[in-house]
Amino acid sequence: MMNAGIVREPTRDETDRFERAILAIPEGRALNGIGTRGEKTLHAVLKSAWSPNPEHHEQKIGPFVADSFDGERVIEIQTRQFNTLRSKLDAFLPVVPVTILYPMASRKWLVWLDPLTGEATKRRLSPKRANPIEVVNELIKIRTFLSHPQLRITIVLVELEEQRWLSGWSDDKKKGSRRHERIPLTLDGVVELRQVSDYLGLLPPELPETFTSAVLAKQAKISVRTAQTALRILEDLKLIQHIGKDGRHKKFTRCG
């Protein structure tokens, strides 16, 4: 389920830049690395789409290299492991605004690759869909920075093809398999968290006035653990408050 309330349609300019970035990726390339920093295709496309001028790419600021810096704003593309951003954010945020681009699969086509021959199966559509609230599983790793006025999070909803090696431990070799590539196909939507109050938009609009992690999990169709993480972040940001208990579960309501 996707909370459509906070998802906006891409602008024509965003769509055009995204399509041009895809066309710039050589067709059929088995992308083990691109450029000097070993980028994967999804990372490279997002960087080119949101920062079209290559002269702005890989700019050094102090001891760190930013994915993009145009003299006014840093862009960092992070597909996972937000914890690795903490040192950069410590260095960048006091001196320059930072936008973190985080891709999520609005639709995902799976292709399986034979590790011996490289032969690919016919792609099939995965039933899984992006749910923007699940970004909290990465945001919790940089929770101390989320209220910083110079930080913006942009969730990019992308239809993509995911290629995986048949290298897992199960009989069909799929469980525990290793991902090879993610190839972006279309830009489907954008979620922008520009200021602290925007994080409330991650909650489903039908959520009642008072709620627990179990209620949130059911309404948003996420795990209870993810719901607990979301509530922890929103409480840190003083957007919700703890008002008691419902059985074993803490009960919350929105502030203000």
Side-chain angles (χ1 to χ4, degrees), residues 35-233:
T36 59
R37 299 184 63 78
E39 290 176 314
K40 291 290 189 176
T41 302
L42 181 58
H43 186 284
V45 166
L46 290 179
K47 183 167 68 174
S48 293
W50 260 259
S51 178
N53 188 342
E55 293 183 2
H56 297 157
H57 299 173
E58 315 305 335
Q59 295 297 308
K60 191 168 184 181
I61 304 177
F64 299 103
V65 175
D67 284 333
S68 172
F69 179 53
D70 62 3
E72 297 182 356
R73 177 185 64 159
V74 163
I75 295 177
E76 285 291 320
I77 298 94
Q78 200 73 12
T79 59
R80 59 192 178 98
Q81 295 180 337
F82 273 35
N83 52 295
T84 62
L85 284 174
R86 289 196 287 255
S87 296
K88 281 188 172 183
L89 293 176
D90 265 329
F92 294 164
L93 285 173
V95 295
V96 66
V98 176
T99 294
I100 300 174
L101 296 183
Y102 178 63
M104 298 185 80
S106 52
R107 287 173 291 177
K108 180 167 68 176
W109 298 88
L110 286 173
V111 173
W112 295 96
L113 305 174
D114 187 303
L116 297 178
T117 66
E119 183 179 356
T121 64
K122 184 178 180 180
R123 71 181 190 179
R124 67 170 184 84
L125 184 62
S126 168
K128 294 182 179 179
R129 296 289 187 273
N131 193 340
I133 193 173
E134 292 180 323
V135 70
V136 298
N137 293 316
E138 290 296 338
L139 295 184
I140 194 67
K141 302 170 187 175
I142 56 168
R143 57 186 292 208
T144 58
F145 298 96
L146 296 181
S147 60
H148 198 290
Q150 298 228 85
L151 179 64
R152 176 186 295 183
I153 309 295
T154 299
I155 303 169
V156 185
L157 300 170
V158 180
E159 179 183 9
L160 55 82
E161 176 185 295
E162 180 170 298
Q163 301 172 355
R164 302 191 70 89
W165 295 107
L166 286 169
S167 57
W169 46 263
S170 62
D171 289 341
D172 63 5
K173 304 298 182 182
K174 292 181 178 180
K175 292 182 180 179
S177 62
R178 181 169 56 89
R179 186 171 67 202
H180 173 58
E181 261 292 14
R182 289 190 292 176
I183 311 297
L185 304 173
T186 61
L187 177 61
D188 285 344
V190 178
V191 175
E192 293 180 300
L193 304 174
R194 301 186 180 197
Q195 54 193 8
V196 167
S197 60
D198 292 339
Y199 287 80
L200 269 179
L202 293 172
L203 296 175
E206 64 273 16
L207 196 67
E209 184 177 342
T210 62
F211 49 89
T212 64
S213 58
V215 170
L216 175 57
K218 182 178 180 180
Q219 292 281 355
K221 299 190 184 304
I222 55 177
S223 69
V224 171
R225 183 174 182 179
T226 295
Q228 290 170 338
T229 300
L231 295 178
R232 183 179 178 188
I233 288 174

Side-chain angles (χ1 to χ4, degrees), residues 4 6-12 14-15 157 187-192:
I6 59 169
V7 179
R8 67 166 175 82
E9 292 289 325
T11 65
R12 170 48 57 187
E14 287 170 337
T15 299
L157 300 170
L187 177 61
D188 285 344
V190 178
V191 175
E192 293 180 300

